[in-house]
Amino acid sequence: MIKLAKLQKNFGHLKALNEIELAIKPETITYIAGPNGSGKTTLIKAILGLVKPDAGEIFVDNIKLNGDCNYRSKIGYMPQAPSFPENLTVKEVFEMLKDIRAKHSDLDDQLVHSFGLEKEKNKRLKNLSGGTKQKVNAAIAFLFNPQILILDEPTSGLDPASSSILKDKIKEERAKGKTIILTSHILSELEELAENVILLIEGKVCFNGSLISLIDKTEKKNLERAIASLMSEAAA
Amino acid sequence: MKELLKISKYQLNDVRRSKWIIIYTLFFFAVTYGLINFTKEPSKVLITLLNVILIIIPLVSIIFGTVYLYNNKNNITFLSAQPLKREVLFAGMYIGLVLPLVASFIVGAGLPIIIYIPLFIEYSGILILLLFAGIMLTLIFGCLAFYVSIKNEDKLKGFGLSIFVWLLLSVLYDGLVMFIMYNFSEYPLEETSIALSLLNPIDLARITLILKFDISALMGYTGAVFNNFFGGSWGIYISSVSMLFWIIVPMYFALRNFRKKDF
C-alpha cells in the first residue's frame, strides 16, 4: 500500500507535482499515464526517495518516509534511463547488489536466462546496446523478489520479443500477489496489463480508478481513446 | 557501517584502475627522488617538496575529484535507488576518492625518503608535518571538489569553477593579500592578516610548515605575523586546527546539498 498526501514538488516555477493525493492499491497493477512532462517520473522518484518533495507525505506500507532507507529493500525499481556503474560487467553488477544488500538471491541466473542475457553476461555495461541495458535494468528490478515493483517506461527501447517477455514476467509477478506500478506515455502498449489507471496531467491527478470505470466514464472503446478524451477535457 | 565499507571497496577498485592515480604516484616519486639526488641537502629537499605539495596536491585533488564525481554520476544514481542512506553513499564516494590520492602521495613521496632515510633522521618532525599537510590538503580539496560538483549539474561549469577555486586559493589570494597590505600599510594589519591566512587552506599549510622550519626568510608576511602573534608551537597548533575546519565546513555543505539533491 502506497499513499501520497498533498505531495508537492516544484522545479523552479514548474509545478511538477501539485498537491497529489493518491492511494495505490496493493496486489494490483497500477498504470500511471499522462503526456510527456506530466510528472510521472517525478512521482515515482518521490516514492523512491530519489526526488525530495517540497511538501507532503508519502507512506509505504503505512510507514511514513522520513529519511530511513530500509523500505527501499521492498521495492524493485526499473528507471526510465538505465544508469549503471559503467565499468562493471553484467554479472558483477548482480554480485555487487547482492553484496551491498547482504542478501542472497538465486534469481539472477534465471533472470539472465529469461531475458536472453547469457551472451552479454561478461561484457562491461558501457559496451552494451541501449536495449540490452534496458533488459539488465529490468532483471535488476526483479532480482530480490520485491513486494513492490516500480517500472518506469519499462518497454521503451525493447524489441517486440523482449517486450512481450517483460509483459509476461509482469503478469507472472502480479499472479504472485505483487504490487506493480507502471508508467508509459505509449498508451496502447501496456493496455493489456493495466488494472487501475491514474492519469496525471501537469502534476495533477485527473483520473484514478479501474480501467473498466475509465472506459465506461468516457464511453470510448479502448484505453488510448479514453485517455485522449480525458486529456482534451482537461485542456478545455 | 558495513555498507560504507562495501561502497568504498567498489569505488576503490574503480579508482585503482585509473591511470591518473599511477601517474600521480610516479610524479611524486620522480620529484622526491630527483630532489634528493640533485641536492643531497635534506632541508632544501623538504622546502622544495613543500612548495610542490602546496601547488600540486590542491590542483590534482580538486580536478581529479570533480572529474571523479561527474564520471560516477550514473553510479550514484544507480546506488541511490538501493536501500542505502545518502550519508553512507556520500561517505563511500569520498573515501573512494581521497584514500587512493593520499596513498599515492605517501607512497610516491615516501619511498625515496625511506631509501635515503639516514639523510632525514634529524628532520623527522618536519617530515611528519609535511605528510600531515599533504594529507590535509588532499582531504580539503576533495571536499571542495565534492561541494562544487554536487552543487552544479553542468559538468563544464563545475569543472571551470573547480579550476577557479584552485587558482583563487593558490595564486590570486596571495596577490590580494599583498594588495591589501600595500594599500593599507599605514594601519595596523596584524589581526587582519591572520584572519586572511585562516581563510586560505594553502596558506595555512604553508605557515604550519614554515613555522616548524623556523626559516624567517621564507615566512612571508603572514608567516612572520603568525610567528610573532602566537609563537612557533602555538602557531602550528592553531593553523592545524584551522585546517580541520576547512574539511568540516565544505563537507557539511556538500553533504547538505547531497541529501537534498534530486536524482
Side-chain angles (χ1 to χ4, degrees):
Chain A
M1 173 76 160
I2 297 171
K3 222 175 95 186
L4 313 176
K6 291 220 171 223
L7 200 68
Q8 182 88 33
K9 177 72 190 175
N10 304 332
F11 291 117
H13 292 295
L14 179 78
K15 285 180 179 163
L17 298 177
N18 195 357
E19 301 211 338
I20 298 253
E21 294 275 352
L22 263 186
I24 291 168
K25 282 187 198 145
E27 299 185 24
T28 45
I29 300 180
T30 302
Y31 175 31
I32 303 176
N36 297 339
S38 56
K40 303 186 293 288
T41 299
T42 310
L43 182 73
I44 276 178
K45 285 187 169 177
I47 295 172
L48 279 154
L50 297 182
V51 162
K52 303 282 173 186
D54 295 323
E57 288 167 345
I58 303 171
F59 299 85
V60 175
D61 284 343
N62 293 324
I63 297 164
K64 190 183 156 188
L65 302 196
N66 56 2
D68 185 40
C69 59
N70 288 324
Y71 78 99
R72 277 200 285 253
S73 58
K74 293 181 205 160
I75 301 177
Y77 171 51
M78 177 176 173
Q80 184 174 5
S83 58
F84 294 117
E86 304 272 312
N87 289 330
L88 299 183
T89 66
V90 176
K91 214 174 139 187
E92 282 168 343
V93 165
F94 289 143
E95 294 303 325
M96 178 177 90
L97 285 175
K98 286 196 246 176
D99 185 25
I100 285 176
R101 289 213 192 189
K103 244 189 195 172
H104 184 69
S105 165
D106 36 18
L107 286 174
D108 51 347
D109 287 334
Q110 193 196 325
L111 286 164
V112 162
H113 178 74
S114 56
F115 286 105
L117 289 166
E118 277 101 343
K119 265 193 253 164
E120 277 84 10
K121 225 168 100 174
N122 294 314
K123 284 187 191 162
R124 283 179 196 273
L125 279 149
K126 62 179 166 198
N127 299 329
L128 297 182
S129 76
T132 315
K133 274 187 190 171
Q134 193 72 350
K135 288 186 213 168
V136 176
N137 206 2
I140 286 170
F142 292 105
L143 187 59
F144 295 99
N145 198 18
Q147 188 52 39
I148 301 167
L149 279 161
I150 299 182
L151 313 171
D152 197 357
E153 305 264 359
T155 52
S156 74
L158 290 183
D159 56 59
S162 320
S163 176
S164 49
I165 291 172
L166 181 60
K167 284 187 209 168
D168 290 342
K169 188 82 193 154
I170 294 170
K171 282 182 189 164
E172 199 183 295
E173 294 298 310
R174 165 68 188 88
K176 285 188 210 159
K178 302 290 173 64
T179 307
I180 298 164
I181 302 170
L182 300 169
T183 75
S184 179
H185 64 279
I186 306 165
L187 299 162
S188 51
E189 205 171 48
L190 294 165
E191 182 166 6
E192 55 172 305
L193 294 174
E195 291 175 292
N196 265 327
V197 178
I198 292 167
L199 178 64
L200 276 183
I201 292 176
E202 289 178 0
K204 278 195 163 157
V205 180
C206 287
F207 178 84
N208 180 9
S210 69
L211 179 60
I212 303 150
S213 70
L214 173 65
I215 289 174
D216 283 350
K217 185 185 171 194
T218 54
E219 296 170 339
K220 302 284 181 202
K221 49 183 183 303
N222 62 23
L223 179 64
E224 188 164 16
R225 297 277 175 192
I227 286 187
S229 86
L230 274 183
M231 274 161 64
S232 52
E233 260 174 50
Chain B
M1 199 58 204
K2 252 187 202 162
E3 283 131 351
L4 174 64
L5 290 177
K6 282 173 187 169
I7 293 174
S8 323
K9 182 184 78 187
Y10 286 103
Q11 289 309 117
L12 285 174
N13 275 338
D14 207 37
V15 172
R16 210 186 45 184
R17 285 186 220 167
S18 148
K19 60 177 182 293
W20 291 106
I21 281 294
I22 296 162
I23 292 173
Y24 188 56
T25 317
L26 289 177
F27 169 81
F28 271 115
F29 185 84
V31 167
T32 318
Y33 194 84
L35 281 173
I36 296 172
N37 273 289
F38 278 130
T39 65
K40 296 277 183 197
E41 259 182 75
S43 64
K44 276 186 189 161
V45 171
L46 290 173
I47 284 282
T48 317
L49 197 58
L50 169 65
N51 285 319
V52 173
I53 286 172
L54 291 179
I55 296 286
I56 296 297
I57 288 187
L59 179 66
V60 171
S61 300
I62 201 165
I63 297 294
F64 192 83
T66 311
V67 173
Y68 165 87
L69 219 59
Y70 284 118
N71 281 348
N72 271 293
K73 200 172 175 238
N74 276 343
N75 201 356
I76 294 169
T77 312
F78 178 72
L79 287 173
S80 58
Q82 299 300 319
L84 290 169
K85 277 209 170 73
R86 288 255 173 120
E87 291 83 351
V88 171
L89 194 53
F90 180 92
M93 289 287 151
Y94 184 69
I95 292 171
L97 168 71
V98 295
L99 212 60
L101 286 175
V102 165
S104 284
F105 161 62
I106 293 177
V107 171
L111 265 184
I113 290 176
I114 290 172
I115 295 171
Y116 291 97
I117 196 75
L119 278 178
F120 293 96
I121 291 276
E122 288 169 55
Y123 293 88
S124 56
I126 290 176
L127 264 181
I128 289 166
L129 262 184
L130 200 66
L131 214 63
F132 171 77
I135 294 170
M136 288 306 257
L137 285 175
T138 310
L139 300 182
I140 290 168
F141 282 82
C143 281
L144 290 172
F146 266 50
Y147 177 75
V148 168
S149 35
I150 289 167
K151 187 96 183 157
N152 294 285
E153 258 327 281
D154 184 18
K155 205 173 177 170
L156 270 178
K157 198 176 157 199
F159 204 69
L161 261 173
S162 284
I163 293 177
F164 178 74
V165 168
W166 173 78
L167 206 63
L168 178 74
L169 293 177
S170 70
V171 183
L172 298 179
Y173 199 86
D174 271 352
L176 194 76
V177 171
M178 289 299 273
F179 178 81
I180 292 171
M181 296 301 153
Y182 183 77
N183 279 287
F184 297 92
S185 54
E186 282 153 35
Y187 301 91
L189 286 171
E190 274 79 10
E191 280 93 349
T192 322
S193 76
I194 285 172
L196 283 173
S197 48
L198 289 180
L199 289 174
N200 184 348
I202 299 178
D203 223 17
L204 282 171
R206 192 177 58 84
I207 288 169
T208 313
L209 261 295
I210 294 294
L211 288 178
K212 183 77 184 170
F213 266 114
D214 211 15
I215 308 170
S216 47
L218 285 167
M219 270 185 193
Y221 184 74
T222 45
V225 171
F226 238 83
N227 200 14
N228 290 339
F229 207 80
F230 299 113
S233 51
W234 261 100
I236 291 173
Y237 179 67
I238 285 175
S239 53
S240 324
V241 172
S242 313
M243 276 200 274
L244 215 58
F245 276 98
W246 264 99
I247 298 177
I248 295 165
V249 175
M251 186 181 268
Y252 169 78
F253 284 105
L255 183 59
R256 208 176 69 162
N257 283 324
F258 190 70
R259 284 163 77 171
K260 283 192 299 191
K261 197 173 164 75
D262 298 326
F263 288 103

